[in-house]
Amino acid sequence: MREQFNVDVNLRTPIYKQLLSEFERLIDSGELPVGACIPSMNELSAQLNISKETVKKVYSILRERGVIESIHGKGFFVTARQDGRKLRIFLLFDKLSQYKQILYDAFIAEIGDRAEITIYMYNQNIETFESFVDSALDNYDYYLVTPHFPLDAETQARALKALKRIPNRKLIVLDNWLRSLQGNYGAVYQDMANDIYDGLSSAIDDLQRYHKLHVIILPTSLYGSLIMVGITRFCEEHGIEVEFHYDINQSMMQRGDLYLLLNGQLGIGLVEVARIAASRGLRIGEDVGVISYNDSYLSEIILGGLTTVSTDFEQMGRLAAQMVLSNNFKKIKCDFKLNRRKTF
């Protein structure tokens, strides 16, 4: 039995967490089938040269989870997991938003009552993210994460290092795929630069009727620089005049122009654009056009119907749930489309 378990006292991960992972790996792979006898606490502590208290802690956790049972006078055995046991899912969102709600609702609808879900939000703060990942390791069957952070190299490296601590067989990355993260984990993601190009291309005839495209990039747009790449390529290829703005002012509002907001449909940017248009007697959807990045439940009623370009967050949640239920991990890019409504 010694060669089946692999723990390393030199790793940062606590020994008890390593041993829990080893048991899960061996049970999931069938190397420790239901009914298999496992070493006594004394035997395993001696085999691995670790303290008996560490092994005792691991066995206690496994018993609470229903993974092993003890039979008096015979020892410890792997027990059949009850069909009724719900999956334990750790869902780590970067922030609360309308489109995250769509994702979550679709995930819940697909997975039903087969899971118990714990939700945390780290507000795109790397220290909080690292802390949540560390405290959750080995306590859940699956980890679903939306890894959104500032794009500086140090923060990205820290995020990557934290994600690597989650076993591939348990990890599903949502929304933003960190391509430098290697392994056979799951991913359901969007591709900012290429998606916006395709979304705008689907409405090229209508876009060319406007005099000019104004792209408003406010601080809340974490990936504005990436999305700009796709917009610039699209406009250059189709001869569309474009101007990028990092604030909103009266002079930018001109009849016959189109305004694309990258800071979210419910942000102050949309309010300010609507206010300026009204003050100048311009009707949104007739005199000027407005498109917002990312769809939400409220988009159908805002300004009589807000046109959006957006990843299909409902599809994202549904696909993530299907990966969990099938335990079949893939990397899938979600659909991205222009949702045509009154403002464009």
Side-chain angles (χ1 to χ4, degrees), residues 164-182:
K164 286 179 178 178
R165 301 184 65 196
I166 303 173
N168 282 340
R169 68 182 185 280
K170 295 184 175 185
L171 175 63
I172 299 177
V173 173
L174 299 176
D175 204 14
N176 179 39
W177 177 20
L178 301 179
R179 295 175 185 268
S180 54
L181 179 63
Q182 301 298 311

Side-chain angles (χ1 to χ4, degrees), residues 40-324:
S40 69
M41 287 184 279
N42 286 332
E43 289 172 339
L44 193 55
S45 64
Q47 288 176 9
L48 299 177
N49 196 26
I50 60 178
S51 73
K52 181 180 176 181
E53 287 303 312
T54 298
V55 179
K56 183 178 179 180
K57 181 177 183 178
V58 170
Y59 280 28
S60 177
I61 293 172
L62 293 174
R63 289 179 68 180
E64 288 178 4
R65 294 180 181 177
V67 176
I68 65 172
E69 62 180 352
S70 62
I71 300 177
H72 184 67
K74 294 187 177 180
F76 292 92
F77 297 84
V78 178
T79 185
R81 295 192 182 189
Q82 308 231 342
D83 290 339
R85 185 182 81 81
K86 294 185 178 182
L87 296 168
R88 298 181 306 276
I89 296 176
F90 181 75
L91 182 53
L92 188 53
F93 277 153
D94 57 300
K95 64 179 180 179
L96 185 63
S97 64
Q98 287 286 318
Y99 37 95
K100 292 297 191 320
Q101 185 68 53
I102 294 174
L103 188 164
Y104 176 77
D105 289 346
F107 182 83
I108 292 296
E110 186 73 17
I111 209 161
D113 62 354
R114 287 165 284 189
E116 294 177 348
I117 302 172
T118 301
I119 304 175
Y120 285 92
M121 280 176 282
Y122 62 93
N123 200 31
Q124 298 176 354
N125 180 279
I126 187 60
E127 288 82 10
T128 306
F129 180 80
E130 290 168 331
S131 176
F132 282 153
V133 169
D134 183 65
S135 63
L137 287 175
D138 300 310
N139 294 326
Y140 296 90
D141 297 307
Y142 294 97
Y143 297 77
L144 278 64
V145 181
T146 59
H148 293 295
F149 303 94
L151 299 179
D152 63 279
E154 180 183 354
T155 301
Q156 290 290 309
R158 290 174 65 178
L160 190 65
K161 185 177 180 180
L163 285 170
K164 286 179 178 178
R165 301 184 65 196
I166 303 173
N168 282 340
R169 68 182 185 280
K170 295 184 175 185
L171 175 63
I172 299 177
V173 173
L174 299 176
D175 204 14
N176 179 39
W177 177 20
L178 301 179
R179 295 175 185 268
S180 54
L181 179 63
Q182 301 298 311
N184 296 321
Y185 58 90
V188 189
Y189 64 96
Q190 57 176 311
D191 180 353
M192 282 78 172
N194 291 318
D195 281 346
I196 189 64
Y197 177 93
D198 294 338
L200 294 176
S201 296
S202 69
I204 180 59
D205 291 340
D206 291 324
L207 282 165
Q208 288 177 331
R209 296 188 184 123
Y210 288 91
H211 302 152
K212 187 176 185 179
L213 172 63
H214 298 265
V215 181
I216 301 169
I217 308 166
L218 295 183
T220 48
S221 178
L222 187 61
Y223 301 110
S225 60
L226 296 179
I227 299 170
M228 283 175 60
V229 172
I231 294 173
T232 300
R233 178 164 66 95
F234 169 81
C235 291
E236 288 177 351
E237 290 183 8
H238 296 283
I240 293 175
E241 184 179 359
V242 62
E243 185 174 353
F244 296 96
H245 305 269
Y246 296 92
D247 58 16
I248 301 172
N249 55 68
Q250 287 272 354
S251 63
M252 67 185 287
M253 184 64 63
Q254 301 294 329
R255 185 183 301 273
D257 286 358
L258 175 65
Y259 300 83
L260 172 60
L261 292 94
L262 302 186
N263 65 315
Q265 69 279 0
L266 300 182
I268 189 64
L270 180 63
V271 175
E272 188 67 8
V273 165
R275 186 188 67 78
I276 292 174
S279 72
R280 303 194 63 174
L282 299 174
R283 296 163 296 177
I284 293 178
E286 297 182 31
D287 301 318
V288 295
V290 172
I291 301 175
S292 182
Y293 198 90
N294 286 333
D295 204 30
S296 80
Y297 291 131
L298 295 178
S299 296
E300 293 186 9
I301 60 174
I302 294 173
L303 297 176
L306 177 63
T307 296
T308 63
V309 281
S310 179
T311 290
D312 188 338
F313 289 100
E314 182 177 347
Q315 180 190 51
M316 188 178 293
R318 187 173 64 254
L319 289 173
Q322 290 171 2
M323 282 191 190
V324 168

